Amino acid sequence: MLNLSLSLSLSLSLSNLKNIEERIFCNGASLDELAALYIFYRENGDIQQMRRILHLMEAHTAHAASQLDGCKTVVMRKGEAAFTRQENGFSFSIDSVSAFLARPEGFMHYARLLRLPEVGEVVITTPLAREAADLAAILRLEALRAGKACRVLMPDDPARRAAGSITAQEKQDAAWLEELLECPREIMLSSLMGPCNIRCRFCEQAYEKIPFRKMDFGVFRETVAALPKDRFIKTIITPYMEPLAISDHRDYLEYLLKERPGLNVGFNTNGSHLTREKADMLVDLGLKYIIISMNMPDADSYRWFTGRDYFDRVCAGVRFLHEAKKRAHARFPVVTVQFLKFPPAIGQEEALRDKWLQHADQVWFRNISAPAAAPEKVRELEEKSGGALIATQQVRPETYPCVNLFTQMSVDMDGVYRPCCFVTRLGNSGHDAGLGEAQAGSVFKSDFLSAWRGQAQNRLRALQIANVLSVCRNCLINQTDMEQLVRLRNAVYDRFYRDSRGRAARCAEAKLA
């Protein structure tokens, strides 16, 4: 590994690292700070974060060449040692790394050229990048640090994209991210939590001892008061147990629906306690949606999957809701019957839709992920799945933003805003490792949308992307598809990490589209 002391000091504490990452995301950091992060991650062997920082530096300098008239290019080649001036710039031919670093017209001359205002970009040819990767890394870092565009391509490569151009997909992604930053897609209120009455084989709650808890009703009132009145946001109440199995659930639900009738309030249930009386009650209260997790398509597979013989009860509950809506001529709640993409449901999708759309508004088939807390159960599911099981935590490299921090926010039982349901469940269960910094205020100090758009939430997003938010490194629930993650990553980089002129131009263009 080459000595990079030519560029920067390597001393960067974890505290400084977090501060720089937060400035990058929230306000913008200097190129020297980005370079310091790159060296820090290089010294710690974090290849994914090194690539991320280089991407950010390249984005920061993407418009440099386009801003200059008669832009000069510095071309770095592999070959017999030489330095030549050309009509459109300068060319270095490098025979050995040691000689290039030592001779007068070597690295120091290259560094002086980078200070010339007319130099707009550096091109590192493919042979040099392949045969002297360490040197190419130094050359690239120095160019980006100097604010010059840099690419590792052949000089005559025609596949360069015009600086400042923007694709149709980027316009869509930019608009999508702006919507997410304006308002979350989901709100989770942990009014009650405790053990479930069934033991679904894929669910972590089936293998953990979860004590019963409920939110103080005074805290719940403050939480509801902090929620927006005029947004039809999906609001999930009681997400950590079977809601219909406990009478207290109605008190929280009724209060929320009365105070915030404009929210899209609902919950998930396994349907085993969905009686005719409760179906009428849910329609009368004005519940907006309900998701009934049937999961398996028949009584035998249901019994194997849940450990309970409740299949017929769940089927009856769906019909009770359908009949209650018909009697009341009600549009709500929107009823979704949910199955898993798991044998024996696989292959029966069309038949199941035909059957259950007679009683429900929607039929969903969701992925099933492995219960990481119980390795022996994972093996059982793998044997049964026939390849349908999704391995936990393999779809999200750490360099991607976690979708949850851009789509949902939870409120724990103490009224603290948490970045996602996983962190909220840990807090409600009494875990404290890493949870102190994983919060964005409380319902007693700010309303929900202010917290969502605030600096504390953006700080969490920045630290998660940098993989220094400790609680996120143990996450087991982010199973969003790769395409959405890549879209979010690109949109986030463009929104937060480009220089202000480039970002302003791209945002303006996206809004006009």
Side-chain angles (χ1 to χ4, degrees):
M1 192 72 70
L2 291 171
N3 185 352
L4 295 186
S5 60
L6 287 166
S7 300
L8 291 164
S9 167
L10 300 181
S11 59
L12 189 65
S13 68
L14 181 60
S15 175
N16 287 337
L17 180 147
K18 289 183 176 182
N19 289 336
I20 294 174
E21 289 284 5
E22 183 181 354
R23 283 201 298 278
I24 294 171
F25 193 89
C26 298
N27 303 306
S30 70
L31 286 170
D32 275 350
E33 287 177 318
L34 286 172
L37 282 183
Y38 177 85
I39 294 173
F40 174 86
Y41 290 128
R42 176 171 177 154
E43 288 299 303
N44 285 277
D46 195 333
I47 303 299
Q48 291 178 342
Q49 295 298 334
M50 287 168 58
R51 291 173 180 166
R52 178 178 67 92
I53 295 301
L54 279 180
H55 179 98
L56 303 186
M57 295 182 76
E58 287 167 348
H60 201 27
T61 61
H63 296 269
S66 66
Q67 303 298 316
L68 298 174
D69 293 328
C71 170
K72 301 292 185 183
T73 299
V74 179
V75 180
M76 313 301 296
R77 309 175 186 276
K78 179 67 177 174
E80 186 176 347
F83 170 73
T84 58
R85 295 175 181 269
Q86 300 174 336
E87 183 178 350
N88 63 338
F90 311 90
S91 175
F92 283 94
S93 293
I94 300 168
D95 54 354
S96 73
V97 173
S98 57
F100 179 73
L101 293 174
R103 66 172 177 260
E105 290 190 338
F107 182 83
M108 297 309 295
H109 198 60
Y110 169 78
R112 286 193 293 271
L113 285 176
L114 293 179
R115 292 198 289 270
L116 295 177
E118 63 268 26
V119 171
E121 68 172 352
V122 173
V123 171
I124 302 171
T125 59
T126 302
L128 178 62
R130 288 176 179 167
E131 296 178 34
D134 282 347
L135 176 61
I138 292 178
L139 298 175
R140 192 178 182 192
L141 181 63
E142 287 296 325
L144 293 172
R145 185 187 169 205
K148 312 299 183 182
C150 184
R151 55 194 176 101
V152 183
L153 294 172
M154 297 302 293
D156 57 351
D157 194 314
R160 291 179 60 190
R161 208 177 92 189
S165 65
I166 183 168
T167 67
Q169 183 62 58
E170 286 173 325
K171 291 178 183 179
Q172 294 176 9
D173 292 350
W176 173 53
L177 179 60
E178 291 303 317
E179 289 180 9
L180 296 182
L181 294 171
E182 171 69 17
C183 185
R185 298 290 176 88
E186 292 184 358
I187 299 171
M188 292 192 180
L189 307 182
S190 51
S191 50
L192 298 159
M193 70 175 293
C196 188
N197 64 319
I198 64 175
R199 294 289 183 268
C200 294
R201 289 174 177 261
F202 77 107
C203 182
E204 300 290 338
Q205 289 179 263
Y207 310 108
E208 297 180 7
K209 187 175 182 180
I210 300 176
F212 175 76
R213 284 192 64 193
K214 62 181 180 179
M215 181 186 282
D216 177 82
F217 210 82
V219 175
F220 186 74
R221 283 194 292 268
E222 292 287 345
T223 299
V224 173
L227 299 176
K229 294 182 178 181
D230 56 350
R231 305 262 185 167
F232 194 66
I233 304 172
K234 182 180 180 182
T235 304
I236 306 168
I237 186 170
T238 315
Y240 305 116
M241 66 176 299
E242 170 48 47
L244 297 176
I246 181 167
S247 60
D248 290 305
H249 173 68
R250 174 171 180 163
D251 297 333
Y252 293 94
L253 180 62
E254 186 172 12
Y255 184 83
L256 175 59
L257 289 168
K258 178 183 177 183
E259 295 297 317
R260 291 294 183 270
L263 288 176
N264 184 19
V265 175
F267 56 87
N268 290 47
T269 174
N270 61 46
S272 61
H273 285 259
L274 184 50
T275 62
R276 193 184 304 274
E277 293 73 23
K278 288 180 180 177
D280 289 333
M281 179 264 292
L282 295 176
V283 173
D284 292 342
L285 289 178
L287 187 73
K288 296 300 191 299
Y289 78 87
I290 185 169
I291 300 172
I292 302 171
S293 297
M294 192 170 291
N295 293 337
M296 293 289 113
D298 56 72
D300 289 340
S301 60
Y302 184 94
R303 189 181 306 110
W304 174 83
F305 194 74
T306 66
R308 299 288 189 272
D309 195 13
Y310 292 161
F311 184 76
D312 291 338
R313 287 168 54 174
V314 177
C315 294
V318 177
R319 291 192 289 269
F320 292 152
L321 260 179
H322 178 67
E323 292 164 2
K325 287 175 64 177
K326 284 182 66 176
R327 285 194 299 271
H329 303 287
R331 176 186 174 192
F332 297 113
V334 173
V335 179
T336 300
V337 174
Q338 181 171 270
F339 295 95
L340 295 174
K341 295 179 182 178
F342 194 83
I346 294 175
Q348 296 191 48
E349 291 88 350
E350 186 174 348
L352 289 169
R353 284 194 183 95
D354 289 343
K355 175 180 179 180
W356 287 105
L357 285 176
Q358 300 176 54
H359 309 289
D361 300 287
Q362 302 175 126
V363 176
W364 287 353
F365 295 85
R366 60 161 287 192
N367 289 325
I368 178 173
S369 58
E376 70 284 358
K377 300 300 180 183
V378 175
R379 288 191 291 272
E380 291 179 11
L381 287 173
E382 286 174 339
E383 293 173 2
K384 186 77 171 180
S385 74
L389 192 67
I390 295 178
T392 301
Q393 195 64 359
Q394 290 187 3
V395 299
R396 178 176 62 85
E398 290 298 339
T399 48
Y400 292 139
C402 175
V403 174
N404 289 336
L405 275 77
F406 291 85
T407 59
Q408 65 175 246
M409 184 181 275
S410 299
V411 181
D412 71 14
M413 291 191 174
D414 297 316
V416 175
Y417 294 118
R418 297 292 189 181
C420 68
C421 60
F422 175 70
V423 176
T424 304
R425 182 162 66 89
L426 289 179
N428 289 343
S429 301
H431 298 275
D432 57 4
L435 295 182
E437 64 179 350
Q439 56 180 289
S442 78
V443 298
F444 302 101
K445 295 182 178 180
S446 65
D447 65 86
F448 192 90
L449 290 181
S450 295
W452 175 255
R453 301 166 187 163
Q455 185 174 349
Q457 178 70 0
N458 275 341
R459 181 176 188 273
L460 294 178
R461 292 166 179 150
L463 298 186
Q464 188 279 327
I465 292 171
N467 195 27
V468 291
L469 196 59
S470 59
V471 68
C472 292
R473 292 201 295 270
N474 299 314
C475 178
L476 303 172
I477 64 167
N478 190 341
Q479 297 293 336
T480 309
D481 65 273
M482 185 67 76
E483 181 180 353
Q484 187 180 40
L485 287 167
V486 171
R487 285 186 63 204
L488 181 63
R489 180 201 64 187
N490 292 341
V492 165
Y493 284 2
D494 192 56
R495 170 65 168 78
F496 289 101
Y497 293 117
R498 288 189 184 276
D499 67 300
S500 57
R501 288 175 301 173
R503 182 168 65 244
R506 294 169 72 86
C507 288
E509 193 171 350
K511 289 179 180 178
L512 290 174

